[in-house]
Amino acid sequence: MKNDLLLKALRGEVTSRPPVWMMRQAGRYLPEYMVLREKYGFFERCQTPELACEITLQPVDIIGVDAAILFSDILVVPQAMGLEVQLVESKGPFLPEPIKTGNDLERIRVPDVHETLQYVFDAITLIKKELNRRVPLIGFAGAPWTILCYMVQGKGSKTFDEAKAFCYTQPVLAHRLLQMITDTTIAYLKAQVKAGADTVQVFDSWGGLLGPEDFENISLKYIRQIVHALKEEVPVIIFAKGAWYALKEMAATGASGLGIDWCIKPGLARSMAGNNITLQGNFDPAKLLSPIPELKKEVNKMLNAFGNGRYIANLGHGILPNVPVDHARAFVDTVKEWEGT
Ligand code: CP3
């Protein structure tokens, strides 16, 4: 690998500077992505290895990030399990027949991932070839709780109250569903690794909607199974947005990296997570809209607070579609130029 900063940082090795990438780096802020978005539907872009490959490489070529992340979506897993998933323009994900009852569970299954998601593995094979060992490739999946949120609520939500009510009123069903998602996800991530993913990230975007006890029972219990199944093969990164209260427990899973959002101070995150794990984050994505000199000052503040050791520079959540390309590049360049210790 020509640039293996990310893998070194995940293994706890000394690096000349922190590696940098951005969550949702392949997406709408790039004009080159928008050209392909005009021509092809969202899942068509995910399902066509040549398109997924081209989109995955865009931020590597245009922005100069230290890692590629597979272009796909967490919602291909519910699709593979048998649920229809649409992406509605300016509205987001829509599942017309969500899971509400025991009967609904009969409509879904733990699929053979090679029958349903082979296009992802084919995309990975192609991406690895095109990357030609320039930077590592990150594979990913949603955490079971976050996937359940969409499978039950049927669409995006600020509170996912219907998904929570499902867990609290029908716990037996909820845990059956969570285990089905977990089993699918383990097979899916293992196949991503076999196809060439160098590390995998588990996105629990809605973990922070649960209190600490529910997070353990509904989310972390299943994330732990995923980490245990994968960690001997590749480093695993857990990103549970808002679930800062569980950093210690997440570090204890054996994950190599923990993503954090901007609502926790780096020092506190470090003291909770301990010294034996790599932290990743946590720039407020909206700050990429600041004037570039201000943005650079804020990025340097973040870098100084984390220091260069077991640290990956990233945003605290996905990049926003209205971020100017030169601001995204300024974020990455500031990390590359950082002269702290
Ligand atoms: O990070 C990357 O660049 C890789 C690709 C990636 C996408 N989605 C592409 C995408 C990744 C890692 C995801 C993960 C994802 N998808 C999450 C977890 C991370 C997070 O941001 O919290 C979630 C919750 C989803 C579900 C999802 N997919 C939503 C809510 C939406 C619509 C709104 C939005 O945020 O864009 C999508 C669509 C989606 N997934 C787009 C992209 C580039 C936008 C599609 C488009 O309009 O062109």
Side-chain angles (χ1 to χ4, degrees):
M1 193 77 65
K2 288 175 196 120
N3 173 349
D4 62 351
L5 285 172
L6 180 86
L7 300 175
K8 277 190 166 155
L10 285 169
R11 289 192 297 252
E13 293 169 20
V14 178
T15 52
S16 49
R17 61 165 174 87
V20 55
W21 67 282
M22 294 179 293
M23 286 192 278
R24 299 290 201 101
Q25 65 189 18
R28 286 160 293 180
Y29 71 104
L30 288 174
E32 292 82 353
Y33 174 83
M34 296 308 277
V35 172
L36 296 173
R37 191 177 187 267
E38 287 292 307
K39 285 200 214 155
Y40 308 95
F42 180 70
F43 288 109
E44 191 180 3
R45 274 172 273 146
C46 293
Q47 288 162 7
T48 313
E50 291 73 19
L51 293 175
C53 175
E54 184 174 346
I55 297 169
T56 299
L57 263 57
Q58 284 174 350
V60 178
D61 295 333
I62 300 164
I63 310 290
V65 285
D66 294 312
I69 180 163
L70 166 72
F71 177 77
S72 184
D73 198 81
I74 62 167
L75 298 174
V76 301
V77 165
Q79 260 177 354
M81 293 176 76
L83 279 191
E84 185 186 343
V85 181
Q86 306 167 0
L87 198 69
V88 182
E89 177 70 39
S90 74
K91 280 218 168 108
F94 179 62
L95 293 77
E97 295 178 303
I99 303 289
K100 301 286 178 192
T101 66
N103 276 348
D104 293 333
L105 269 193
E106 303 301 318
R107 291 193 274 120
I108 60 166
R109 64 196 167 274
V110 175
D112 176 337
V113 293
H114 289 284
E115 268 168 28
T116 47
L117 293 162
Q118 186 59 41
Y119 63 86
V120 175
F121 316 133
D122 292 343
I124 291 176
T125 306
L126 188 59
I127 293 162
K128 287 292 285 186
K129 184 170 153 263
E130 294 296 320
L131 273 177
N132 195 18
R133 307 183 73 83
R134 273 181 288 165
V135 291
L137 175 65
I138 305 167
F140 72 91
W145 155 247
T146 287
I147 297 297
L148 177 145
C149 280
Y150 289 100
M151 289 176 93
V152 172
Q153 191 96 14
K155 55 183 185 309
S157 163
K158 283 200 165 64
T159 57
F160 282 98
D161 49 337
E162 291 174 47
K164 284 172 130 180
F166 179 77
C167 293
Y168 300 149
T169 61
Q170 306 186 77
V172 175
L173 278 187
H175 284 285
R176 245 173 63 204
L177 177 55
L178 287 164
Q179 192 60 54
M180 288 173 79
I181 301 167
T182 302
D183 294 344
T184 307
T185 303
I186 288 173
Y188 179 46
L189 288 176
K190 279 187 175 245
Q192 288 188 27
V193 171
K194 207 162 164 211
D198 298 292
T199 171
V200 293
Q201 175 156 319
V202 179
F203 285 91
D204 200 2
S205 306
W206 308 115
L209 294 180
L210 300 168
E213 197 181 326
D214 293 317
F215 181 73
E216 168 58 40
N217 292 332
I218 296 173
S219 183
L220 189 54
K221 194 157 100 187
Y222 298 96
I223 292 177
R224 198 177 282 123
Q225 290 183 36
I226 297 170
V227 175
H228 285 180
L230 269 301
K231 74 185 173 80
E232 302 306 328
E233 297 179 28
V234 286
V236 181
I237 306 168
I238 306 173
F239 171 62
K241 187 170 181 294
W244 56 272
Y245 47 75
L247 282 171
K248 184 170 172 228
E249 289 77 11
M250 289 192 273
T253 60
S256 298
L258 292 183
I260 54 176
D261 64 40
W262 57 95
C263 296
I264 182 164
K265 288 182 178 169
L268 179 58
R270 177 51 77 196
S271 71
M272 291 181 80
N275 292 326
N276 208 15
I277 194 154
T278 300
L279 293 176
Q280 172 176 279
N282 69 343
F283 203 67
D284 179 347
K287 280 197 184 174
L288 289 185
L289 297 167
S290 312
I292 287 179
E294 190 62 28
L295 184 167
K296 285 185 161 273
K297 216 167 84 192
E298 290 291 310
V299 175
N300 276 308
K301 227 199 269 177
M302 171 182 80
L303 296 167
N304 291 331
F306 281 101
N308 179 26
R310 296 223 76 152
Y311 173 59
I312 299 163
N314 203 319
L315 309 176
H317 201 187
I319 190 168
L320 300 164
N322 56 341
V323 168
V325 174
D326 56 333
H327 288 223
R329 205 180 282 118
F331 174 77
V332 169
D333 286 345
T334 308
V335 180
K336 291 184 172 176
E337 291 155 9
W338 182 58
E339 287 182 346
T341 48

